[in-house]
Each structure stands twice: as structure tokens, then as C-alpha cells.
């Protein structure tokens, strides 16, 4: 029935078009046989089949010519000059390089007639020409307008979200999230963070890169998500302002267990936004500012824990969250002259979180409450990112040198206050965490256009320092391990160098690159910690990438990919302090954690036609040192400790299919199906905290996947609609699996002269529930999280 339901959904409705149009700038230098530059030579670009004129220009005093905005295809370049013979050269314009350099062209006195070639024109759609990247406009996501970045992402092809609010690409959460092509603490330098707290209103588009080239950092084996902030460059003063509001948690999915405070209902959302820009002469100044007020029922998880000795614990974790986020990005672009540009920008984010939670623990029949753990979390996250860049354009178009200096500061100021209510006593507990992250990045990139492609190389040096301090204040009969506090310092130094070469002709494409990366990581902890000691590691490793493609014709292409990447443990993953937002299922880091290395092979095929395209891919990932959380218990206790470990080898093998079609002038449809098999080989690990114990697991394997439908409707009188449906099949998690999930989103947008109105609803029928089952040594548990997913919003954007 699930398969039938999915097939019916795939036949029903949707989508977000991903049309792109590649344009190329062509240049070259014309000289005579003695090497003297020829100025004022007439250059014409013509179609090969019929020699019809496409574009023209003349050389400058240095003999240099430039032709811009050329569509991919096969052409003839003609050069004519008084006293010289007509020059004719065939040329293939591909889609992989934005700039092509024909090098030096020599003109002589004899007339040579070259054979003509057949012209082909191509309109790239969907995944880009490399078939390694997809680009999505946030403005096209009508059903998610006014929400967070994470909510927008969950409807994109190939992307899903998990129970921790992370995005997954093809079922894998090892995703690097960039902002305008750079890593920042706002989205994480290692593991992704805070995607649910970035307003979608601040974002122009989202790029999903499945097979990154060597110019990107080597981490993120699942791929890269690049978030492009809004930035206008129109002349004069212009911009866009907007306001959205909404209500969430319109009805109760699951009633509370007895005797705890009510869960949030009818949560009020507010998101004002402003995008301002002023451009005059050589300068461009911009500002993007957003405020996001989002009270939510952040967690409402019911867990039944079963122990081999016969004990059964039934608990609920209910977390009412108030979140207020201010984000702003401002900057200056200065065109010093035609060859040099300087940019400076700053990003500020302040995220204030107040959580009020209740966690009761009952016996099997709910007749006896063993504990009520109430907590108040007061957390302030502050992020400041400063970026500066300088670009030098050489005389040859596309011949560039880019220099960049970036600095990020991120403070995590977190306070927890607990009331530990037992049958015979009540205790007051607390802890305070302060963590300051400082990151410096220095980059230099060089790009040289070639006749049939381009070459790029660069260096990057990163210095990262994170001092962290945890203070515990235990009360009466406290479950808190107060000895596990203290200080810990994280140091990371990463120099890297890369080279990438792209070659393209009429039928073949080659992209080959390699990144050489050295990592030196040190983690020092206070010597009084009862379990963990200082640790660290270093390595020098190559990370190659290769892409081969064969073009059958302008509308059909095969591609083959290979890349090797690494996922290094983030500071939070190795953090030595236990986290008590759950009193009896406790998360702890592991300073002995080591990097996970992954090799990926993928084959892709894309065929395009006038009103749509079909894209398919087969992929296989092989990981060593798989990073995952392992749950264990201490003999005689019901407390579960979830600790990061390197589990050994794992595999992810699957197939992805995207079909986009303009079915009618008023309806476009995109369907996405992703089916994969996750396998974790048998492994044995040793947990050190709170006491030494060994955990062994047999081989675990499960076939899972997802199906998505997005339908975009264009009605009369500038009225647009969108309907989105998402189905997620059961999948494996550490020591267990998740259940299936399903939701439907809908939205309508009305465009008026000065702006647009919209109304939308996420999880329209309130069906999204995260189900999970976990099996450990001496215990197993099942959980269902009925957190807030249904939100109805209305909004208006005004453009001037």
C-alpha cells in the first residue's frame, strides 16, 4: 500500500522548475605572423551550419577581443582585416566554463576556407551542465514563504530532514552548509547547525552540490548546500520589505502524560524582513535584515524503555520553546577600476532561546511517577562574521586572481535550571556553559581560461580556536555528574592547496582535480575530568575528484563521478561534558573520535526536451571510521548514555530520479524519487563514559528512500499556487531505525503592482510524526515525537 500510495502521489501533481541558462564569454588575441598585435580586427561569431551572424566585435590596441553572452553550441569564429586573409576557425562553446580563451590567433595573407560544422544550440535545465549541482530559487517555494531555511529545504529534490533538525542529502547527514560560498559558525564549520533558525526571507537561492570539486573544503561526504543571501545591484536606491505572520500547533497531536504543564498551542509567528540596496558610480552598498519570532512546541517525544531485567520506564519529553532571532548582513562593493574590485561584508546573528520543559518518568501502567524533571534553558547564541575579498581581472576575460580574508566569532552562552522532583524529595540543579569560537580563513584562488576549458588553483589556511567551560551546580539527590565539568580547549589548523582542470569538446568533458589537506587538531581538557584526557590527531591526505562525461547530442548526456572526502569530528562531537536536556537519555561527546573517510562513485544521465527534463543517477558511498552515536547503560542503572564512536565501515547505495515537466501553461510538475540501501558492517567499540564498557553490533542493513511531488499552478490575474507532498520511508539510525513519515504543504501567491501577497500551510493535515526504535545491550526503546510541524502563514512583500 505504501508503494501504491507513493506511485499515486507521483502521478498526481507538482513543481519547482530549476531552469538555468549557461552563457559564456569568449576572448582571444589576434596577431600577425611576426607576433605583432593587430588592433581593430573585425571579429564575427557565426553559426556553423548556415554561417548566420550571431555576435561581433573588434580587437583593442593590444589585439584582444571579447564576445559575451554566448549560448552553448558549435560556431565559427571569423576575423577580417584590411590587407589580411579572412580567418575562419571552428569553435565548440560548452557549458562548463563561463570564460574561454582562444589564445593567440595568427592572421596571414592567404585565404583559407575551413569546413563548416553543424550548429547545435542548447538550453540547460534542471541540474547544471556538470550534473553535480542543482539550484533552487527560494521565491519559488510558495508553500514555505515566511518560514525557516530548514522548512524550505525539506521540499527540495534529494533532501530530507531528520529528528534532530538536520538536512540529509540522499539519506546522509554529513552535509557542509555554506553561506555565499563560505563556511561560517552560523551554519557550522563541521556538522551543520541552526538551519531552522535562519529566516528563508533572507535567502535568494539554494544550491545543492552532490559531487563537489577540489576547490571546496574536503569535508561533507554527502555533499554541499550553498545558501546565497539576497543582494541587489540595481542603480540607485531600491529594495524589498516584507512581513509574514502565522499560527502553529493548531491542535494537539498527542495528550500529555499526567501532572505536567500544558504543551504550547496556537503559537504565534512573526517575520518582518528588509532588503535594501544603493548603487552609484563605482560603489554598491547593501543591507539584508530579518527578525524571526517563533514560539514552537519544539519537542513532544514519548519514549517507552524496556530493560532485560524486566524494568519498564515510560517518559515524555515536552519542550515549549520561545525563539527570537535577529540577523543582518551588510556590505560594500567597490569597483576600484575595470580590473580591480574590493568587497567587504559583515553578518550578525543573535539567537535568544528560552525553553521550558517537563520530563515525567512513570511505571508501565502510569500509576506511579518515579521522577519529574522540569527545566528552564536560557541560551544566547551570538555570531559575527566579517569577510573581505579582492579580485584582480587580467586583460584576458575570465583570467582572475581572488584573495579573501574571513573571520568568524560565535559565542554559545547556555544556562540550564532544573527542578528534580522525586517521590520523597525535591532538588534544584543547574549548569552553565560558555563557549567562544574564533575562526580565521585566508584564501587565494587563481583561474585561467583555456581554449577548451579552464584551470583553477588555490590555497587556503584555517586557524580555529574554541575555549569551552562547563560549570555544574548539583542539588539534592542530583543525577548530574558534577565532576565531569571544567574547561576544554579545541585547536585546529588546516592548510590546503588544490588544482582543478576542465576540458570540453563537442562530445567529451573531463574535470579532474585534487586537494591536498593537512589537519592538526589538539583537544586539551582539565586534568580533573574523571574519564577523558587530552587528545588529538593529525593527517596529510589527498582528496581527488574526477568527472567524465559524454554528450550524445545537445539534449542527452552521461556523466561519471568519483571523489574522496572526509568528515572530521566537530568540537561538539568530542565535547567532554554530558548534556542533561534529557535526564535519563544523556548525550556525551568523545575526544577519542577520529575522522571518517568516504569514497563515492556516481553515474548520471540527463535528457532534456522543450518543456522538461529527466535526470537519473546511480551512486555508491564507502565510508571508513563511520561516525555515529552508540547508546549504552551502566549495570544496575536505567540511564542510557549516547556517545559518539567510530563504528567501522558503512555503505550507502542508491538511485535518484528527477522528472520535471510543463504539463500545461498553467501547470508544471516536478517529481523526485530517491531509493537507497544503508548498510553498517558489524563492529565493536569501547565506551569510556561513565564507566568502561564494550558494545558490539551485528551487520545492519535497510532499504529506504523518499518521494516528493511539487506542483506549481499559474492561474489568471497573477495568481499562483503550489502543492507539495513528501513521503519518507523507514530508515536506519544508530542501533535501530525510524518509521515512515508523510506530509503535505500548500500555498497561494497573488502578485500585485508593487509586491505580492501569500498564504500557505506546512504539514497541512498534521501527519508528520518521527518514530524511532533503538536496540542496545540490555535494553531497547521505542519513541514517537509529536513536535510542532503544522503552521499556517500569511504575508506581504513590497518591492520598490
Amino acid at each position: 500500500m505504501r508503494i501504491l500510495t507513493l506511485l499515486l502521489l507521483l502521478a498526481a501533481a507538482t513543481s519547482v522548475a530549476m531552469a538555468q541558462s549557461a552563457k559564456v564569454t569568449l576572448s582571444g588575441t589576434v596577431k600577425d605572423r611576426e607576433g605583432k598585435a593587430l588592433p581593430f580586427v573585425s571579429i564575427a561569431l557565426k553559426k556553423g551550419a548556415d554561417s548566420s551572424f550571431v555576435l561581433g566585435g573588434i580587437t583593442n590596441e593590444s589585439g584582444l577581443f571579447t564576445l559575451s553572452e554566448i549560448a552553448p553550441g558549435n560556431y565559427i569564429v571569423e576575423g577580417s582585416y584590411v590587407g589580411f586573409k579572412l580567418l575562419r576557425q571552428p569553435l565548440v562553446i560548452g557549458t562548463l566554463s563561463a570564460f574561454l580563451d582562444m589564445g593567440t590567433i595568427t592572421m596571414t595573407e592567404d585565404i583559407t576556407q575551413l569546413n563548416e560544422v553543424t550548429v547545435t544550440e542548447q538550453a540547460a535545465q534542471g541540474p547544471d551542465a556538470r550534473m553535480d549541482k542543482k539550484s533552487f530559487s527560494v521565491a519559488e517555494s510558495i508553500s514555505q514563504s515566511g518560514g525557516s531555511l530548514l522548512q524550505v529545504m525539506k521540499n527540495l529534490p534529494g533532501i530530507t530532514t531528520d529528528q534532530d533538525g538536520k538536512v540529509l542529502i540522499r539519506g546522509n547527514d554529513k552535509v557542509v552548509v555554506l553561506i555565499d560560498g563560505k563556511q561560517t559558525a552560523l551554519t557550522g564549520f563541521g556538522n551543520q547547525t541552526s538551519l531552522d533558525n535562519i529566516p528563508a526571507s533572507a535567502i535568494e537561492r539554494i544550491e545543492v552540490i552532490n559531487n563537489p570539486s577540489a576547490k571546496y573544503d574536503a569535508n561533507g561526504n554527502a555533499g554541499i548546500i550553498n545558501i546565497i543571501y539576497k543582494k541587489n545591484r540595481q542603480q540607485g536606491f531600491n529594495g524589498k520589505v516584507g512581513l509574514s505572520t502565522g499560527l502553529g500547533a493548531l491542535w494537539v497531536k498527542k495528550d500529555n502524560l499526567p501532572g505536567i504543564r500544558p504543551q504550547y498551542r496556537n503559537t504565534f509567528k512573526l517575520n518582518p524582513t528588509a532588503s535594501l540596496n544603493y548603487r552609484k558610480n563605482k560603489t554598491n552598498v547593501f543591507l539584508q535584515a530579518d527578525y524571526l519570532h517563533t514560539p514552537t512546541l519544539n519537542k513532544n517525544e514519548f519514549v517507552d524503555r524496556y530493560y532485560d531485567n524486566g524494568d519498564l520506564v515510560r517518559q515524555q519529553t515536552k519542550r515549549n520553546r520561545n525563539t527570537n532571532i535577529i540577523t543582518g548582513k551588510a556590505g560594500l562593493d567597490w569597483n576600484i577600476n575595470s580590473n580591480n574590485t574590493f568587497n567587504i561584508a559583515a553578518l550578525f546573528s543573535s539567537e535568544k532561546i528560552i525553553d521550558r520543559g517537563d520530563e515525567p518518568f512513570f511505571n508501565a501502567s502510569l500509576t506511579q511517577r518515579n521522577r519529574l524533571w522540569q527545566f528552564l534553558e536560557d541560551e544566547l547564541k551570538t555570531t559575527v562574521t566579517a569577510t573581505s575579498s579582492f579580485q584582480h581581472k587580467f586583460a584576458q576575460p575570465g583570467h582572475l586572481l581572488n584573495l579573501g580574508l574571513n573571520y568568524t566569532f560565535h559565542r554559545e552562552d547556555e544556562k540550564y535550571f532544573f527542578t528534580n522532583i522525586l517521590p520523597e524529595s525535591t532538588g534544584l540543579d543547574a549548569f552553565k556553559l560558555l563557549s567562544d569560537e574564533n575562526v580565521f580563513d585566508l584564501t587565494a584562488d587563481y583561474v585561467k581560461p583555456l581554449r577548451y576549458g579552464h584551470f583553477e588553483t588555490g590555497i587556503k589556511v584555517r586557524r580555529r580556536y574554541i575555549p569551552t567551560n562547563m560549570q555544574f551546580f548539583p542539588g539534592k539527590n542530583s543525577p548530574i555528574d558534577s565532576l565531569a565539568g571544567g574547561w576544554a580547549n579545541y585547536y585546529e589548523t588546516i592548510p590546503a592547496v588544490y588544482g582543478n582542470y576542465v576540458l570540453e569538446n563537442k562530445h567529451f568533458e573531463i574535470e579532474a582535480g585534487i586537494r591536498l589537506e593537512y589537519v592538526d587538531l589538539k583537544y586539551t581538557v582539565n586534568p580533573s575530568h574523571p574519564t577523558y584526557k587530552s587528545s588529538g590527531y593529525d593527517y596529510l591526505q589527498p582528496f581527488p575528484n574526477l568527472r567524465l562525461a559524454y554528450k550524445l547530442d545537445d539534449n542527452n548526456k552521461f556523466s561519471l563521478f568519483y571523489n574522496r572526502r572526509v568528515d572530521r569530528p566537530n568540537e561538539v562531537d568530542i565535547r567532554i561534558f554530558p548534556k542533561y536536556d534529557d535526564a535519563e537519555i544523556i548525550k556525551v561527546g568523545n575526544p577519542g573520535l577520529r575522522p571518517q573517510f568516504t569514497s563515492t562513485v556516481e553515474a548520471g544521465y540527463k535528457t532534456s526536451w522543450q518543456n522538461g527534463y529527466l535526470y537519473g543517477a546511480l551512486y555508491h558511498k564507502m565510508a571508513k571510521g563511520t561516525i555515529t552515536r552508540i547508546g549504552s547503560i551502566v549495570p544496575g542503572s536505567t540511564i542510557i548514555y549516547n556517545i559518539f564512536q567510530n563504528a567501522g565501515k558503512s555503505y550507502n547505495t542508491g538511485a535518484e530520479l528527477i522528472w520535471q515537466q510543463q504539463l500545461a501553461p498553467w501547470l508544471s510538475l516536478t517529481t523526485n524519487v530517491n531509493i537507497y540501501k544503508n548498510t553498517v558492517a558489524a563492529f565493536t567499540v569501547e565506551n569510556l563514559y561513565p564507566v568502561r564498557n564494550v558494545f558490539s553490533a551485528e551487520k545492519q542493513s535497510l532499504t529506504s528512500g523518499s518521494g516528493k511531488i511539487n506542483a506549481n499552478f499559474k492561474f489568471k490575474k497573477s495568481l499562483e499556487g503550489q502543492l507539495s507532498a513528501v513521503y519518507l520511508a523507514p530508515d536506519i539510525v544508530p542501533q535501530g531505525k525510524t518509521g515512515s513519515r508523510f506530509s503535505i504543504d500548500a500555498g497561494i501567491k497573488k502578485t500585485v503592482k508593487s509586491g505580492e501577497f501569500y498564504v500557505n500551510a506546512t504539514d497541512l493535515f498534521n501527519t508528520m510524526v518521527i518514530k524511532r526504535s533503538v536496540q542496545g545491550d540490555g535494553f531497547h526503546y521505542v519513541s514517537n515525537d509529536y513536535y510542532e510541524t503544522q503552521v499556517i502563514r500569511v504575508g506581504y512583500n513590497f518591492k520598490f
Side-chain angles (χ1 to χ4, degrees), residues 103 236 280 406-407 449 480 511 524 594 613 616 789:
K280 185 177 182 180
N406 308 310
Y407 169 71
I480 288 179
E511 181 175 1
T524 59
R594 293 298 179 260
Y613 68 88
T789 55

Side-chain angles (χ1 to χ4, degrees), residues 284-343:
N284 183 74
V285 181
F286 60 90
L287 170 67
Q288 174 68 43
D290 297 84
Y291 172 68
L292 191 62
H293 172 72
T294 55
T296 58
L297 178 58
N298 178 260
K299 193 178 188 70
N300 192 27
E301 185 177 26
F302 293 77
V303 180
D304 290 341
R305 290 184 272 139
Y306 303 85
Y307 296 85
D308 291 357
N309 63 3
D311 290 340
L312 170 60
V313 178
R314 301 184 67 182
Q315 71 178 76
Q316 176 189 358
T317 304
K318 183 218 69 188
R319 186 161 60 214
N320 293 332
R321 170 167 290 183
N322 291 329
T323 305
N324 291 279
I325 307 161
I326 299 173
T327 60
K329 184 176 183 181
L332 169 69
D333 303 326
W334 179 30
N335 297 317
I336 303 172
N337 53 43
S338 59
N339 294 327
N340 298 285
T341 303
F342 177 74
N343 309 90

Side-chain angles (χ1 to χ4, degrees), residues 670-728:
T670 297
T671 60
N672 170 226
V673 178
N674 189 32
I675 299 175
Y676 54 86
K677 183 177 183 180
N678 275 330
T679 301
V680 179
F683 65 91
T684 298
V685 296
E686 183 181 51
N687 287 332
L688 299 181
Y689 187 86
V691 296
R692 189 182 301 269
N693 64 88
V694 175
F695 174 81
S696 296
E698 298 179 352
K699 178 180 177 181
Q700 186 181 7
S701 183
L702 182 69
T703 299
S704 183
S706 63
K708 297 185 179 184
I709 299 174
N710 287 299
N712 279 6
F713 305 90
K714 290 190 176 181
F715 307 108
K716 295 181 179 180
K717 297 182 179 180
S718 302
L719 186 65
E720 298 178 62
Q722 187 178 70
L723 182 68
S724 303
V726 178
Y727 170 78
L728 306 178

Side-chain angles (χ1 to χ4, degrees), residues 340-361:
N340 298 285
T341 303
F342 177 74
N343 309 90
I344 187 169
L347 173 66
F348 172 80
S349 174
S350 176
E351 177 184 352
K352 180 67 172 180
I353 299 173
I354 299 293
D355 282 343
R356 293 177 175 85
D358 295 80
E359 195 171 42
F361 300 88

Side-chain angles (χ1 to χ4, degrees), residues 225-241:
I225 293 176
N226 187 22
I227 302 165
I228 309 298
Y229 260 69
K230 289 180 178 178
K231 186 177 179 181
N232 201 339
R233 290 188 172 90
Q234 296 180 14
Q235 286 287 346
F237 179 69
N238 52 82
K240 187 176 183 179
V241 294

